[in-house]
Amino acid sequence: MAVLVLLAFWHAPALAQEGQSPITVTDVANRKVTLNAPVKRILLGEGRQLYLIASLEPKDPLSRIVAWRNDLIQADPGTYAQYLEVFPDLAKLPTFSGQEGSLIDIESAIIRKPDVVLLNIEAMRANEDANYVDKLASLGIPVLYVDFRHHPLENTERTIRLLGEIMDRKERAEEIIAFRRQAVARVTDVLDKVKPDRPRVFIERIGGYSDDCCLSFGAENFGRYVEVAGGHNIGSDFLPTTFGQINPEQVIVSDPQHVVVTSSDWKAYAPGGHWIPLGPGADPEILRKKLEWYSTRDAYTGTQAQKTGNFHGIWHQFYNSPYEFVAIQQLAKWFHPDLFADLDPDATFAEYHRRFLPIAYKPGYSVSLTSKAP
């Protein structure tokens, strides 16, 4: 009822503000959308979109944001604390709840009158089935779809360019893209030349978020990162989609040589769980102790990974951010330590922070039980 009232009383398209003019852009869903740019008021359909907004607008990312979903606060409390320290007004930013593929809070969108709403592409079906996108368009509130999660190695660059265009930060967007490409090339150039054997790798997805085993990735996202980093992703052999589950018996038969657990500080979701609190400033001793539990899981009994101790933990948010180049470097260093002895993923991420972000770099994004890796 509240939505209908708002729609009834405010049905006029938004007018361009001073310094804005209409432009037409194409989002990652290949929709042509006209909006007023440079955008000054952005509603984040997912809080973790802040990673890119802050990269493009580091001096004051909050100046562009009118509301956001609360997922970054809950899923990445370490990063949230860093931004809160630099930008205390972040605590006052209006929030709304929801899941990755759920409906946008349309009332928040209408009340805040943003120049644009950013939605992740997985939310497209729910919002269009509910006719929310058309309702917002009728009020002069355009929706753009972005993607860091389903096809990140292709769509992250498209998303960076898209936001660079609507924020009038095209040059900076190209600098970010160039940095990412160079970081990945430090891995792929070596692998293309040497062509080493690819170790079998099992990715345990969202380790500790629940007790389920064994959640994993198919041929995209971390599954793709594994392949780019010179490994063979076991999940790609069995899962037809990006996300899925493999039974423990199949994992044992597949005999992974490496097990990589994606995890994060999830006390907001699973208090007391087996999650590994990876993230900025994490204590390496605590990370290692938490990772050790995974080597005792029944699903890895008798595997090569268990025999060699090749168990690794990596920050889960690399699956949904413009930072996957760091994960690729770290995976390559674990899979081929001799080839990448001089590669330092922490230094790469620290340099990205120095050049593009308003917060200081703090290590804590990876952990390993092997002595050859950090």
Side-chain angles (χ1 to χ4, degrees), residues 158-227:
R158 292 182 66 188
T159 298
I160 293 170
R161 284 201 172 98
L162 176 64
L163 265 64
E165 184 171 4
I166 67 173
M167 294 173 65
D168 194 22
R169 293 291 183 267
K170 291 183 182 179
E171 184 176 343
R172 188 169 181 84
E174 293 304 321
E175 290 173 359
I176 293 170
I177 289 170
F179 184 96
R180 287 164 38 84
R181 288 184 176 181
Q182 290 168 7
V184 174
R186 293 189 63 189
V187 171
T188 55
D189 287 354
V190 173
L191 295 176
D192 288 345
K193 181 178 180 181
V194 178
K195 293 181 171 55
D197 292 337
R198 291 176 172 268
R200 297 180 303 280
V201 181
F202 183 74
I203 300 285
E204 180 165 340
R205 179 171 58 90
I206 57 174
Y209 189 92
S210 73
D211 293 331
D212 290 343
C213 190
C214 301
L215 300 175
S216 195
F217 292 89
E220 260 300 348
N221 204 286
F222 260 97
R224 181 88 175 275
Y225 305 166
V226 166
E227 301 289 337

Side-chain angles (χ1 to χ4, degrees), residues 194-266:
V194 178
K195 293 181 171 55
D197 292 337
R198 291 176 172 268
R200 297 180 303 280
V201 181
F202 183 74
I203 300 285
E204 180 165 340
R205 179 171 58 90
I206 57 174
Y209 189 92
S210 73
D211 293 331
D212 290 343
C213 190
C214 301
L215 300 175
S216 195
F217 292 89
E220 260 300 348
N221 204 286
F222 260 97
R224 181 88 175 275
Y225 305 166
V226 166
E227 301 289 337
V228 174
H232 172 70
N233 176 47
I234 289 171
S236 300
D237 297 335
F238 304 102
L239 301 176
T241 56
T242 301
F243 310 106
Q245 187 169 3
I246 300 175
N247 68 61
E249 293 77 14
Q250 185 59 67
V251 176
I252 292 173
V253 171
S254 299
D255 192 20
Q257 294 163 276
H258 292 263
V259 172
V260 178
V261 182
T262 74
S263 197
S264 195
D265 184 343
W266 284 320

Side-chain angles (χ1 to χ4, degrees), residues 24-44:
T24 299
V25 297
T26 302
D27 68 8
V28 298
N30 294 319
R31 299 163 57 251
K32 290 190 179 298
V33 179
T34 299
L35 47 75
N36 296 319
V39 293
K40 300 179 180 181
R41 299 174 57 80
I42 305 173
L43 186 142
L44 305 185

Side-chain angles (χ1 to χ4, degrees), residues 186-187 191 199 225-226 228-231 258 310 312 314 325-348 366 368 370-374:
R186 293 189 63 189
V187 171
L191 295 176
Y225 305 166
V226 166
V228 174
H258 292 263
N310 276 322
H312 321 286
I314 195 163
F325 57 90
V326 182
I328 290 170
Q329 287 195 353
Q330 185 61 73
L331 293 170
K333 194 171 180 69
W334 285 332
F335 303 159
H336 304 287
D338 294 334
L339 284 180
F340 296 105
D342 296 332
L343 187 62
D344 188 344
D346 271 310
T348 299
S366 63
S368 178
T370 62
S371 59
K372 291 184 178 180

Side-chain angles (χ1 to χ4, degrees), residues 74-96:
Q74 296 179 336
D76 186 11
T79 299
Y80 176 66
Q82 283 188 289
Y83 277 94
L84 194 60
E85 183 177 355
V86 179
F87 304 104
D89 285 346
L90 186 59
K92 303 175 185 176
L93 189 66
T95 63
F96 53 90

